[in-house]
Amino acid sequence: MLDALLLQSGYNATLVTLGAMMLGVAAGVTGTFLYLRKRALMSDAMAHATLPGVGLAFLLMVAMGGDGRSLPGLLAGAGISALVGLGCVQFLTTRTRLPEDAAIGAVLSVFYGVGIVILTVIQALSIGRQAGLEAFLLGATAGMLWSDAMLIAAGGAISAGLVLLFRRPLLMVAFDPDYASVRGLLPGRADLMLMALVLAVTLTGLKVVGLILIVALLVIPAVAARMWSDRAGVVAAIAGGIGGAAGYGGAAMSASAPDLPTGPLIVLLAAAGFVVSILFGRARGVIPQALARARMRTRLAGPA
Amino acid sequence: MKPLRDLRPEAAPGPLPLAVRGLSVAYGERLVVDGVDAVFAAGKMTAIVGPNGAGKSSLLKAALGIVPRVAGQALFFGQPLAAVRDRVAYVPQRAGVDWDFPARVIDVVAMGLYGQLGLFGRMRCQHMTQAMDCLGRVGLTDFARRQIGALSGGQQQRVFLARALAQRADLIVLDEPFAGVDAATEKALVGVLHGLRDTGCAVVAVHHDLATVPVWFDAVLLINRRCIAEGPVATAFSEANIARAYAAIPANHA
């Protein structure tokens, strides 16, 4: 275990660990903007909506005589099906005035159900070397290819970079969409950009964290970081730090104990950071606020 | 730093800061603004007055492209808004934003500099000075590093005004700027707005307090879904026009 944490358990494992760290940073930073725009659950809908695409892409690649497990191919399928899911949520909320949370609930469960059916069919057909698709549910880094790890690290770095580049319009739209739109920053376009970045993080994290838990990596570091600062930029930086640490630690632990799925380990580490932040966070934490109240009481009770 | 309004020809009768023609807004099947024509002049402070649900905010939001319009057009300085965005400052209703947002007062004011900074421009010392200067004009210099949620309602409204000032616009559009603020804040806000007007800026505000219209404003637009009266306060803001604006809406349009 110590070997893994110190990146001494082999070249591949090291690369996977660094990739997971990059993913965590991207998820923390992107998730901050998503949380500030109050659309955190959209990422859950998109993540679950990737599953039918993973299954169908596998079937298509096998039918074309391929291996069926090529990560870029599976991610392309996942991306297309997530976009369809996103489109469904948009359609339901704009055309039927269904509230977004209800639309998310409906789309998320239907797409996940369809995905599970397709995966079951694949297992029953026993075609190709299907074993491994379940890894997309909870994440598995064991036995990951070098090229896969590179894809994940690059995807994380690019997503995080784009969020930093577009931080100003994203923040203005999140804080005050009407004002932003008068300034020429159309909220619809900024949201589209944000959703594209969330989709990129989701796809990047599919193999590492799994589609069920990727929402945790987008939300938990962001809300934990909010406990520490009242400045959006600082919140995003701290969230990136918490996400990166969780990704690094989770992947390293999973490398030393390959039976443990990587996703839950990463999420548990992020959750530990969340608990610490809730208790001790300088801006919002429970204990600093209680101390401030106590100080105020002593001051008011003291000699006038 | 260049002087504030060195380029504005005071006397030249340029195109009107804002002119709306036949503007209509509908929410679903409900027509809330019905074919309103109105003009707003430079160097004047104009109140948009009418009962609740008269479409005051909707008129402005449709003119500014925040909500879609079903008919009509709005021209800013004779052009569509997209061509003159930097000259138009908007102060939205305070209740419309999340004050729990992680931002300091100075961060919100700095949003007004977006036109200068663009997407990727770096915030430099001069921009910070500019933002602090605008904050000083609304009397909040000491609050620059406070979290916005820690401000009172009146202070929040002043922060919004400072953000609009940072833009150095020559049309400033305010949606209920005096809603829920105390008398002292009201006076401070009006003072700044009068200062802007006196430099040739056009000020347009949705307003709900009839008593203060003649005191603070030069012109008025009385609406109740349709335009009831428009013009200088002395003539347009008559008892008869006010009564018409606040009378029940004809049922055939409801």
Side-chain angles (χ1 to χ4, degrees):
Chain A
M1 170 89 78
L2 197 61
D3 280 354
L5 280 174
L6 297 174
L7 298 176
Q8 282 164 355
S9 47
Y11 181 60
N12 246 18
T14 300
L15 201 63
V16 168
T17 306
L18 291 178
M21 182 178 82
M22 207 54 240
L23 166 74
V25 172
V29 175
T30 313
T32 301
F33 291 83
L34 191 65
Y35 147 71
L36 290 177
R37 187 73 179 119
K38 300 189 169 42
R39 301 189 73 187
L41 281 182
M42 272 309 293
S43 64
D44 208 18
M46 270 199 273
H48 281 76
T50 58
L51 193 54
V54 171
L56 290 176
F58 177 82
L59 286 175
L60 190 67
M61 285 189 286
V62 170
M64 284 163 43
D67 176 18
R69 294 196 305 173
S70 138
L71 189 59
L74 294 173
L75 290 187
I80 292 169
S81 115
L83 284 177
V84 174
L86 178 64
C88 289
V89 173
Q90 299 283 32
F91 176 84
L92 288 173
T93 48
T94 54
R95 295 300 164 82
T96 68
R97 295 214 221 156
L98 204 66
E100 191 171 85
D101 58 345
I104 286 172
V107 168
L108 180 155
S109 45
V110 169
F111 273 76
Y112 186 66
V114 170
I116 291 293
V117 167
I118 295 175
L119 284 204
T120 314
V121 168
I122 290 173
Q123 303 219 312
L125 288 176
S126 63
I127 41 170
R129 304 189 329 216
Q130 76 273 37
L133 284 194
E134 310 83 42
F136 283 97
L137 295 180
L138 288 173
T141 46
M144 193 183 273
L145 299 175
W146 181 85
S147 60
D148 294 353
M150 281 306 281
L151 187 68
I152 287 161
I158 292 171
S159 315
L162 284 174
V163 171
L164 287 179
L165 204 57
F166 289 102
R167 65 192 185 282
R168 202 171 282 153
L170 288 174
L171 276 182
M172 278 174 73
V173 167
F175 173 60
D176 192 345
D178 284 358
Y179 177 81
S181 104
V182 174
R183 296 311 302 270
L185 298 168
L186 302 184
R189 225 180 282 169
D191 283 345
L192 204 63
M193 158 75 92
L194 182 59
M195 288 305 145
L197 288 165
V198 169
L199 177 60
V201 171
T202 303
L203 293 179
T204 305
L206 223 45
K207 191 72 191 286
V208 181
V209 183
L211 63 91
I212 296 178
L213 290 175
I214 187 75
V215 62
L217 200 54
L218 280 156
V219 174
I220 292 176
V223 292
R226 182 68 184 89
M227 299 292 140
W228 293 98
S229 173
D230 283 327
R231 298 186 64 186
V234 180
V235 171
I238 295 174
I242 294 175
Y248 179 92
M253 282 158 75
S254 159
S256 65
D259 287 343
L260 287 173
T262 321
L265 285 174
I266 292 177
V267 170
L268 281 176
L269 283 177
F274 179 57
V275 171
V276 170
S277 303
I278 284 212
L279 288 178
F280 301 103
R282 200 167 47 84
R284 298 249 152 144
V286 175
I287 291 173
Q289 283 195 345
L291 287 176
R293 268 198 304 278
R295 271 198 304 273
M296 183 59 86
R297 264 200 300 275
T298 348
R299 224 176 69 197
L300 290 177
Chain B
M1 200 160 67
K2 67 178 183 187
L4 229 68
R5 312 192 169 277
D6 51 347
L7 297 174
R8 184 162 313 109
E10 284 290 326
L16 280 163
L18 173 56
V20 299
R21 288 275 165 271
L23 197 73
S24 295
V25 184
Y27 295 129
E29 305 217 325
R30 210 160 49 87
L31 200 58
V32 293
V33 176
D34 185 358
V36 168
D37 293 326
V39 296
F40 301 92
K44 292 271 188 289
M45 183 151 150
T46 310
I48 300 179
V49 178
N52 287 337
K56 305 182 290 284
S57 297
S58 299
L59 172 71
L60 288 183
K61 285 189 177 172
L64 292 165
I66 298 168
V67 300
R69 41 187 183 240
V70 287
Q73 60 166 351
L75 288 180
F76 296 82
F77 304 98
Q79 300 180 65
L81 177 63
V84 286
R85 282 194 196 280
D86 283 344
R87 298 178 69 182
V88 181
Y90 173 59
V91 180
Q93 280 188 30
R94 186 165 49 83
V97 312
D98 170 19
W99 290 96
D100 196 40
F101 200 85
R104 300 170 307 168
V105 167
I106 193 72
D107 300 328
V108 174
V109 178
M111 287 181 189
L113 299 171
Y114 175 73
Q116 289 177 47
L117 290 166
L119 273 185
F120 313 118
R122 274 186 60 83
M123 185 88 166
R124 290 177 198 287
C125 201
Q126 60 176 66
H127 298 119
M128 215 54 183
T129 318
Q130 215 174 315
M132 282 304 291
D133 179 52
C134 296
L135 209 47
R137 284 166 72 190
V138 300
L140 285 181
T141 309
D142 296 340
F143 292 80
R145 293 183 191 285
R146 289 274 179 94
Q147 207 268 323
I148 49 169
L151 300 181
S152 72
Q155 289 166 339
Q156 289 173 350
Q157 193 67 62
R158 284 197 261 175
V159 171
F160 266 9
L161 183 57
R163 178 177 67 177
L165 291 175
Q167 209 181 315
R168 296 174 175 178
D170 32 22
L171 165 63
I172 174 163
V173 179
L174 307 98
D175 197 349
E176 297 264 16
F178 309 115
V181 305
D182 57 51
T185 301
E186 212 165 81
K187 233 175 228 140
L189 291 174
V190 169
V192 175
L193 294 176
H194 280 171
L196 288 172
R197 174 199 63 187
D198 295 342
T199 59
C201 186
V203 179
V204 178
V206 170
H207 194 52
H208 62 277
D209 179 14
L210 294 178
T212 49
V213 170
V215 191
W216 294 339
F217 291 90
D218 309 302
V220 68
L221 169 68
L222 272 162
I223 64 168
N224 190 345
R225 227 180 44 218
R226 273 171 286 177
C227 178
I228 305 291
E230 184 194 12
V233 169
T235 54
F237 199 61
S238 66
E239 293 278 349
N241 284 340
I242 297 169
R244 277 173 60 215
Y246 284 77
I249 303 168
N252 59 331
H253 267 281

